[in-house]
Amino acid sequence: MSDGKKTKTTVDIYGQHFTIVGEESRAHMRYVAGIVDDKMREINEKNPYLDINKLAVLTAVNVVHDYVKLQEKCEKLERQLKEKD
Amino acid sequence: MSDGKKTKTTVDIYGQHFTIVGEESRAHMRYVAGIVDDKMREINEKNPYLDINKLAVLTAVNVVHDYVKLQEKCEKLERQLKEKD
């Protein structure tokens, strides 16, 4: 868990090295990097003609889409909890 | 909401055009594209030396980080709901 200390994690995403500075654990950052790497490869399989730049942006779009859907689900759970209070 | 019909939406993200085919509404896709565009600009402000490719990948990393945190929150809400059943 984050204790305010900065961590520096070097990760490899789709063949590129990144050094990520943050307050999360290295394990968390590697987990996150792994998800991005998987998503990029998944999208590349369906869109092999995309250059890496567009592939990275479409990966971000894909993840934001998932985030927005999860946010809707979370808000619904919160409403259900309030109704039970 | 999605009714299985495919929609084609052209969006502009960080100065690049994308045509996104999906089952979501055009409004949803524009909303998602807007979030990605904002995030890229936000990250670029803190890291002006990054090329667009690395910027897009780091945007995806940023969003996946948020997604994982939100997922943890959602799972907690689900546990709380089960306890109240």
Side-chain angles (χ1 to χ4, degrees):
Chain A
M1 284 288 115
S2 151
D3 52 14
K5 262 194 336 180
K6 292 270 179 192
T7 56
K8 211 179 220 186
T9 313
T10 303
V11 291
D12 185 84
I13 301 174
Y14 208 72
Q16 292 187 91
H17 291 293
F18 291 84
T19 300
I20 299 175
V21 180
E23 293 183 6
E24 296 295 336
S25 69
R26 285 200 182 82
H28 172 82
M29 290 321 299
R30 282 197 204 96
Y31 173 59
V32 166
I35 293 174
V36 175
D37 186 83
D38 289 347
K39 284 239 176 228
M40 287 184 80
R41 291 176 196 282
E42 200 185 294
I43 293 173
N44 180 60
E45 258 172 46
K46 292 177 197 149
N47 307 274
Y49 54 82
L50 277 180
D51 67 50
I52 186 160
N53 178 355
K54 291 211 164 182
L55 176 60
V57 173
L58 284 178
T59 301
V61 167
N62 189 282
V63 176
V64 166
H65 166 74
D66 292 345
Y67 182 88
V68 168
K69 291 291 161 189
L70 185 62
Q71 215 169 20
E72 287 165 10
K73 181 186 166 189
C74 239
E75 282 157 12
K76 196 176 150 199
L77 288 169
E78 278 170 339
R79 281 193 304 270
Q80 286 171 345
L81 258 174
K82 264 192 197 124
E83 282 156 20
K84 295 204 172 200
D85 275 348
Chain B
M1 286 289 119
S2 152
D3 52 14
K5 260 192 347 184
K6 293 270 179 190
T7 57
K8 210 179 224 186
T9 315
T10 303
V11 292
D12 183 84
I13 301 173
Y14 208 70
Q16 291 188 91
H17 291 293
F18 290 85
T19 300
I20 298 173
V21 179
E23 293 183 5
E24 297 294 336
S25 69
R26 283 200 183 84
H28 172 83
M29 289 321 300
R30 280 196 206 98
Y31 173 59
V32 167
I35 293 173
V36 174
D37 186 83
D38 288 346
K39 283 237 175 232
M40 286 183 79
R41 290 177 198 282
E42 197 185 296
I43 293 173
N44 179 60
E45 259 172 44
K46 291 177 198 151
N47 307 274
Y49 54 83
L50 279 180
D51 67 48
I52 186 164
N53 171 5
K54 289 212 164 181
L55 179 59
V57 173
L58 283 178
T59 301
V61 167
N62 190 281
V63 176
V64 166
H65 166 74
D66 293 342
Y67 181 90
V68 169
K69 291 290 159 190
L70 186 60
Q71 213 170 23
E72 286 165 10
K73 182 185 165 190
C74 241
E75 281 156 13
K76 197 176 150 198
L77 289 169
E78 278 169 339
R79 281 194 303 273
Q80 286 171 343
L81 259 174
K82 264 190 198 130
E83 282 157 23
K84 296 206 171 199
D85 276 347

